[in-house]
Amino acid sequence: MQLIDRISNIFHEKFGHTPMHIARAPGRVNLLGEHVDYNDGFVLPAAIDRATYVAFSPAGTPHSSLVAVNLRNEASFSPQTIPSKTQPDSRRLPDWAHYPAGVMWSLLEEQLVVPAINAVYASDVPRGSGLSSSASVEMAFMIAWQSLGGWTLPSMQLALLAQKAENRYVGVNCGIMDQFASACGVNDQLLLLDCRSLEWQSVPLPEHASIVIADTSVRRKLTSGEYNNRRAACEEAVRLIQKDLPEIKSLRDVSVDEFNRFAGNLPDEVAKRARHVVEEIGRTIQARALLEAGDVQRFGRLMNECHVSLRDLYEVSCPELEAMTRIAQSLDGCYGARLTGAGFGGCTVNLVVQEIAPSFAESLAKQYALETGLRPQVYISRPSQGAGLL
Ligand code: GLA
């Protein structure tokens, strides 16, 4: 509530009236299926109870004016300045504004009506923490423009347009998972998405289990380059395996047995990346059955295996994520713990026996601080509803 009051007050000071609406779009945490969305795999994220909030009204001017409260910065853009990533006064558009400007760009590409807005936004999804703060910003602005534009699109379509903004305007070649989770979140449910068909279903969080998010407080560096490299390695693997299996379209189409047969034809690094993806897709398929059967113990073990694979094969972990995961896995009541999101820093996700989640969170924070000298944030998180107007 505090954030909402804050952005409403700042909006009033800046624009002289109360905002017409407030849009909210959550961040997400991913339980299983990491770095497989851009390989047509399955993912199992949940929208979380932390979000970006945008207070907005139609601007009545040709350009949109935005205030980013967390960053104490302002920016303006219009359909004319968007292609050159500049502002109406010719200054460079700051990096943070590429996300909302990218959303406008993506909607204009669809020939949709996208009125100029005055907007003030703030988020309690920490940036660069692996909880999809960018997707939550994109989706909050999607909702803002949808509500002023006089058109309505299905949530998945909004997610795809936000992904296009990030791929083509911001320049990060991300998959669909983050925007999907932010757009389609369901209270108290996990979301199981087939990234090829885009069919999805909600799956109840296992009974008596809580999600604990542990932020190492280390922020990702150079991720877009590392991320795009990983993606390129997967594409290279597909190209090389197609020599033996011409019918495959992505690593989703390669079974673990087939992969074992052909892995020797791949350069070492490409083989490691691709093995993670092929085995991780296998884990998500098992996970579905385990969740249906209520076998949270074995589901947790898959989370632990996923972490090892992200560390050793995909190589996206870091010492702090290792410390956080190792400590969590040694504590009572932890079904599974692993890094979540793209990696290189940020958060771990822990599935924990509900009754002891508070003491688990406390011990994890304490031991991590002792070991690393860093101050982590560890909290119990509830799956929340997807993006919408408040
Ligand atoms: C980032 C991307 C997602 C996904 C994850 C890794 O969050 O935005 O599309 O690829 O990394 O699973």
Side-chain angles (χ1 to χ4, degrees), residues 146-270:
Q146 171 171 263
S147 68
L148 296 182
W151 43 265
T152 309
L153 293 175
S155 300
M156 181 62 86
Q157 190 61 28
L158 294 178
L160 287 165
L161 291 174
Q163 183 201 13
K164 181 174 172 186
E166 186 145 348
N167 291 168
R168 306 258 309 272
Y169 192 81
V170 179
V172 177
N173 226 351
C174 65
I176 186 62
M177 171 169 72
D178 304 350
Q179 292 79 7
F180 155 74
S182 183
C184 299
V186 182
N187 272 335
D188 294 322
Q189 305 271 315
L190 306 176
L191 313 167
L192 180 62
L193 169 70
D194 176 339
C195 299
R196 169 169 277 168
S197 66
L198 298 183
E199 279 166 17
W200 66 277
Q201 64 184 95
S202 59
V203 183
L205 189 62
E207 263 184 58
H208 310 299
S210 290
I211 295 174
V212 174
I213 294 176
D215 189 339
T216 59
S217 82
V218 174
R219 292 292 167 252
R220 305 181 309 210
K221 289 174 216 99
L222 294 176
T223 34
S224 57
E226 292 290 349
Y227 184 90
N228 291 348
N229 285 342
R230 297 294 184 289
R231 189 166 178 160
C234 296
E235 283 159 14
E236 174 72 354
V238 171
R239 208 178 54 76
L240 293 170
I241 298 174
Q242 273 170 342
K243 292 186 181 157
D244 295 296
L245 300 173
E247 67 286 1
I248 67 158
K249 296 203 164 50
S250 67
L251 290 174
R252 155 87 173 263
D253 301 319
V254 183
S255 68
V256 175
D257 284 349
E258 282 169 335
F259 184 76
N260 287 336
R261 257 192 286 146
F262 302 115
N265 303 344
L266 308 179
D268 284 353
E269 190 175 292
V270 172

Side-chain angles (χ1 to χ4, degrees), residues 4 20 38 40 48 52 64 78 135 140 159 175 191 194 204 210 233 237 239 276 301 380 382 385 390:
I4 299 170
M20 185 181 266
Y38 50 85
D40 283 350
I48 57 174
T52 297
S64 293
S78 71
L191 313 167
D194 176 339
S210 290
R239 208 178 54 76
H276 163 74
R301 286 210 286 276
I380 300 168
R382 260 194 55 207
Q385 210 57 30
L390 290 187

